[in-house]
Amino acid sequence: MQYPIWKIEEIRHQLAVVSGDAAPDILIQNATYLHSHLKKWVEGNIWIVKDRFVYAGTELPATTEGTEIVDASDYKLVPGYIEAHSHPFQLYNPETFADFCAQSGTTMLISDNLPLFLTMENKKAFSFMESLRKLPFSFYWWARFDSQTELEHEEELFTTKAISEWMERPDVVMGGELTGWPRLLSGDDQMLYWMQQAKTKGMKIEGHFPGASEKTLTKMRLLGADGDHEAMTIEEVERRIQHGYAVTLRHSSIRPDLPHLLKQIVEKDLKIFDHLMMTTDGSTPGFHKDGVMDLCIQIALDAGVDPVDAYLLATFNPAKYYNVSNLHGVIATGRLASINFLKDEMSPTPVSVLSKGQWIKRDGKRQITFSGTDFSMFNDNPFEVELKDTDFQFSMPFGLEMINDVIIKPYRVSVDTTEDSLAKTHDESFFVLIDRNGKWKVNTLLKGFATSLEGFASSYSNMGDILLIGKDKRQMRKAYEKIKEMNGGIAISQNDEILASIPLPIGGGLSPLPVEELMQQEKELKAQLSELGFQHGDAIYTLLFLQATHLPYVRVTQRGIVDVLKKQVLFPSVMR
């Protein structure tokens, strides 16, 4: 499926340019460009009309009156890069992240729809997506089949009608990712029906199978999974390839696996590059200081991957896999005009970027800042929950222990929780999850988050509910008052002082700031957390995954504390 992008009169004008009766808008002469089908560098001239390549070959147009002529003889040209598995809601928002990505050559995202699906009606979500389509950038989307947590009324949200409306959209190219795949193996025919429906639309089904056995991979392939991005070892890559999966290799803030996987693929001389893609998998802002897909390509080049294969991993391979190579991933007639101008083939960060026929970057200088996206459909209601003394009563016999950034196990509480503060000689903290609208709460202790952090509050969470963490109940209140004042965000309170904060006023979870500015706020917050005893890798992912039931072993959710493996609510949430 695809949109009828060009109107009849536009196509007729494009034909007139080829016939010599009209001039192209841009002519790129003396170009050496990567031809994705031929898998080699070719020389020629590229004609562009508005946002489309109308010709790429050896000929020059008959007329160039009014044409912008670009001499590309000093550059190597490659298609715009594609992020094949994007979560553009990690403090940044899709507009600011796209703006940041485009400056380093990534001009297309295949993006998670879950934050939109969970927080707004489809009509509003689609309106937001249409607003993004006006940018000189390409967005494609997933259609999720499960919430990745335990919701109070999940069956009322994930309905065939709601999911089918997503799958009817031509910019939705993937079903999943399947974080709820154990339900499929247990006989969930509803999810299987949605997967089959997606297949009839020509969509791919993306798995989420960390550590999966060969038998599990076999069963999931039979159920309809086409690809997976969770391979962490070379053996897991080979196992997925053996069973016919497309494999997306990951380089993210919590799983930077790409360098060692590519190195081993090269060392073993595996002829599998046609079946591979790459992703940064929703990394937090600071991780992107060295780039996005340009960084992944550089890692591939440094690992010894042939340059042609390295660029195809982030251009033609995802475009072909997701059935959009008629528009993306190829510098050839009829495609959207997105090109990266490189100093040489070993330098993937472009000097200039053309996206949909518009200059995004020229000779190293920014030419445009993305703006105009309509965020009005995001929940901007003020945080009106008033904390009560009863919100800070802790009597649960066990708490949550962080094994690393994202893995949590239960542990038996032994400290006195009746006092207003906990000692800083251990790593146990008070923990409260409160419904954004103040209906329910979950109180327990969190071990392993920090040793001396007094007060921490965040509206950035899996479902936008409020997280309170800390050694001191009064400082936890103070941090919460700060995020109320910011209309959403993250704050640290220590000794009655707000040490760091990140305002997230878009729906309580997203920042309107450019990614570069957001990086600085994130850096300051993480530095303060580190000083106060946070010793794990990425605190932002910890906040996001505290409620995420696709990870072991226990999670805190809207329904209460859940045993992920047994699918049981161990301690239910309580009404406030």
Side-chain angles (χ1 to χ4, degrees), residues 525-542:
L525 182 94
K526 287 182 173 178
Q528 291 293 341
L529 283 175
S530 178
E531 286 189 17
L532 296 171
F534 184 89
Q535 298 180 350
H536 302 291
D538 196 329
I540 303 303
Y541 255 102
T542 296

Side-chain angles (χ1 to χ4, degrees), residues 305-316:
V305 178
D306 179 89
V308 169
D309 281 325
Y311 287 103
L312 294 182
L313 286 173
T315 56
F316 183 60

Side-chain angles (χ1 to χ4, degrees), residues 317-333:
N317 287 12
K320 183 178 180 181
Y321 176 72
Y322 285 108
N323 300 318
V324 292
S325 62
N326 58 317
L327 294 174
H328 304 279
V330 190
I331 299 176
T333 302

Side-chain angles (χ1 to χ4, degrees), residues 366-566:
R366 174 185 285 272
Q367 300 297 300
I368 187 174
T369 297
F370 293 175
S371 62
T373 301
D374 182 6
F375 291 97
S376 64
M377 56 286 299
F378 283 81
N379 183 357
D380 60 356
N381 295 330
F383 286 80
E384 296 179 344
V385 175
E386 297 295 334
L387 298 182
K388 309 171 186 177
D389 290 343
T390 54
D391 291 325
F392 294 92
Q393 293 176 350
F394 301 85
S395 59
M396 194 171 292
F398 79 85
L400 311 174
E401 181 179 6
M402 293 178 56
I403 306 303
N404 57 32
D405 300 58
V406 297
I407 304 300
I408 302 172
K409 288 185 174 181
Y411 83 100
R412 183 165 293 281
V413 173
S414 59
V415 300
D416 182 0
T417 60
T418 61
E419 300 293 330
D420 287 338
S421 61
L422 297 173
K424 297 179 181 178
T425 56
H426 58 74
D427 64 351
E428 295 172 67
S429 302
F430 296 120
F431 176 83
V432 188
L433 176 70
I434 298 180
D435 170 42
R436 179 190 175 112
N437 298 311
K439 296 178 181 179
W440 51 263
K441 63 174 182 173
V442 181
N443 295 61
T444 186
L445 263 65
L446 182 63
K447 179 177 173 61
F449 187 80
T451 51
S452 49
L453 172 67
E454 293 178 350
F456 181 90
S458 174
S459 60
Y460 177 80
S461 63
N462 186 282
M463 284 298 300
D465 298 317
I466 300 161
L467 301 168
L468 304 177
I469 305 171
K471 296 279 190 177
D472 188 283
K473 296 174 183 178
R474 190 164 68 88
Q475 297 305 314
M476 293 163 71
R477 285 177 181 267
K478 188 174 180 65
Y480 173 67
E481 292 302 320
K482 179 61 177 178
I483 69 170
K484 278 182 66 177
E485 174 190 317
M486 299 186 298
N487 201 27
I490 306 173
I492 297 173
S493 179
Q494 196 82 358
N495 298 320
D496 287 327
E497 179 185 356
I498 300 298
L499 295 186
S501 63
I502 302 178
L504 301 171
I506 301 175
L510 304 176
S511 172
L513 293 180
V515 172
E516 294 87 348
E517 293 182 35
L518 188 56
M519 284 179 181
Q520 185 59 36
Q521 290 184 344
E522 180 198 23
K523 181 179 179 181
E524 292 170 3
L525 182 94
K526 287 182 173 178
Q528 291 293 341
L529 283 175
S530 178
E531 286 189 17
L532 296 171
F534 184 89
Q535 298 180 350
H536 302 291
D538 196 329
I540 303 303
Y541 255 102
T542 296
L543 302 178
L544 187 65
F545 281 169
L546 280 168
Q547 294 171 276
T549 53
H550 66 290
L551 295 164
Y553 293 87
V554 291
R555 298 288 140 173
V556 56
T557 75
Q558 293 185 355
R559 296 179 60 201
I561 296 180
V562 174
D563 183 317
V564 173
L565 299 178
K566 295 181 180 178

Side-chain angles (χ1 to χ4, degrees), residues 77-105:
L77 276 55
V78 295
Y81 305 144
I82 299 170
E83 165 55 276
H85 187 93
S86 172
H87 300 265
F89 300 94
Q90 308 297 48
L91 303 182
Y92 42 71
N93 67 70
E95 180 186 78
T96 54
F97 188 56
D99 180 77
F100 176 81
C101 288
Q103 289 298 313
S104 58

Side-chain angles (χ1 to χ4, degrees), residues 345-374:
E345 63 184 32
M346 301 303 291
S347 304
T349 302
V351 175
S352 300
V353 179
L354 196 68
S355 180
K356 288 185 177 179
Q358 293 189 44
W359 289 107
I360 305 299
K361 180 180 180 182
R362 193 82 182 266
D363 298 327
K365 296 180 180 179
R366 174 185 285 272
Q367 300 297 300
I368 187 174
T369 297
F370 293 175
S371 62
T373 301
D374 182 6

